[in-house]
């Protein structure tokens, strides 16, 4: 059965990857984005783009009905949205919910989907290298093989696929509440 997923923030770096991963899993995306940081050109042809704020209650109520939405993947938010808020929303509405924890998202499936901001560690390192500066390494006394802190990195395509798998699991088990750590816990030097 094909579900229709409303992807809030679907024109952002991570959202655009999720939007492209859904059809590969026989799922249908609808993008909802205010385009404050998202880029409309990231949305593939044929995928509906609703330009609007998540604070626009009337548009937010209308959109799921107009597109026969069966679920939501919420990516239009600050990086640290409280898991308590996700759970509370699920309990109040009876919806299945999931919180995916990931850190240091890097990469892009194609150049047009790349993160254009320098707000994450990988772009920060490349910015410093481009400017001729060496990236700074913090900490040398952690209980790790090289003494530096553990940093988890995940490719954005892997994260998008994790969102798709989670969405499908929630669709198959209504009322579920999941909290998932997405990463590998490998040791990498901590830099900023």
């Amino acid at each position: 059965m094909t579900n229709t997923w409303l992807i809030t923030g679907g024109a952002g770096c991570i959202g655009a990857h999720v939007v492209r991963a859904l059809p590969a899993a026989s799922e249908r995306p609808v993008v909802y984005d205010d385009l404050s940081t998202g880029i409309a050109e990231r949305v593939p042809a044929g995928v509906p783009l609703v330009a609007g704020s998540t604070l626009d209650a009337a548009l937010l109520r209308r959109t799921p009905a107009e597109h026969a939405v069966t679920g939501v993947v919420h990516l239009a938010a600050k990086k640290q949205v409280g898991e308590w808020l996700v759970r509370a929303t699920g309990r109040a509405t009876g919806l299945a919910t999931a919180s995916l924890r990931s850190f240091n998202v890097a990469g892009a499936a194609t150049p047009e989907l790349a993160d254009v901001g320098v707000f994450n560690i990988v772009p920060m390192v490349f910015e410093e290298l481009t400017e001729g500066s060496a990236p700074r390494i913090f900490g040398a006394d952690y209980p790790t093989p090289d003494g530096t802190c553990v940093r988890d990195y995940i490719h954005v395509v892997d994260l998008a696929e994790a969102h798709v798998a989670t969405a499908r699991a929630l669709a198959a088990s209504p009322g579920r509440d999941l909290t998932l750590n997405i990463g590998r816990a490998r040791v990498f030097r901590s830099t900023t």
Side-chain angles (χ1 to χ4, degrees):
M1 173 186 202
T2 298
N3 293 298
T4 299
W5 296 94
L6 183 67
I7 313 300
T8 63
C13 179
I14 295 171
H17 282 85
V18 173
V19 167
R20 291 186 183 219
L22 283 164
S26 299
E27 303 287 339
R28 182 176 174 263
V30 173
V31 172
Y32 190 103
D33 200 302
D34 70 2
L35 302 175
S36 60
T37 58
I39 301 169
E41 291 75 21
R42 286 181 175 153
V43 179
V47 172
L49 169 60
V50 178
S53 169
T54 54
L55 301 176
D56 183 340
L59 182 60
L60 205 48
R61 272 192 300 274
R62 243 185 1 258
T63 299
E66 289 175 0
H67 296 278
V69 169
T70 53
V72 177
V73 177
H74 180 51
L75 298 169
K78 300 290 184 194
K79 290 183 181 184
Q80 297 178 347
V81 173
E83 291 173 7
W84 65 269
L85 180 58
V86 172
R87 275 192 216 96
T89 301
R91 286 188 195 115
T93 61
L95 295 174
T97 62
S99 294
L100 277 63
R101 298 173 179 164
S102 63
F103 303 94
N104 301 311
V105 178
T110 60
E112 67 270 12
L113 297 181
D115 187 356
V116 295
V118 185
F119 308 109
N120 296 308
I121 193 165
V122 173
M124 290 169 137
V125 167
F126 282 111
E127 181 179 58
E128 288 187 29
L129 292 172
T130 300
E131 293 173 356
S133 302
R136 293 172 288 163
I137 298 173
F138 294 98
D141 58 353
Y142 290 91
T144 60
D146 69 354
T148 60
C149 97
V150 173
R151 298 289 255 166
D152 235 347
Y153 295 87
I154 185 167
H155 195 278
V156 68
V157 171
D158 295 329
L159 182 59
E161 290 172 358
H163 276 87
V164 172
T166 302
R168 294 182 93 191
L170 292 178
S173 301
R176 231 171 148 181
D177 176 27
L178 301 173
T179 299
L180 305 168
N181 294 319
I182 311 298
R184 296 187 54 159
R186 294 228 176 153
V187 177
F188 295 95
R189 242 177 228 279
S190 175
T191 62
T192 60

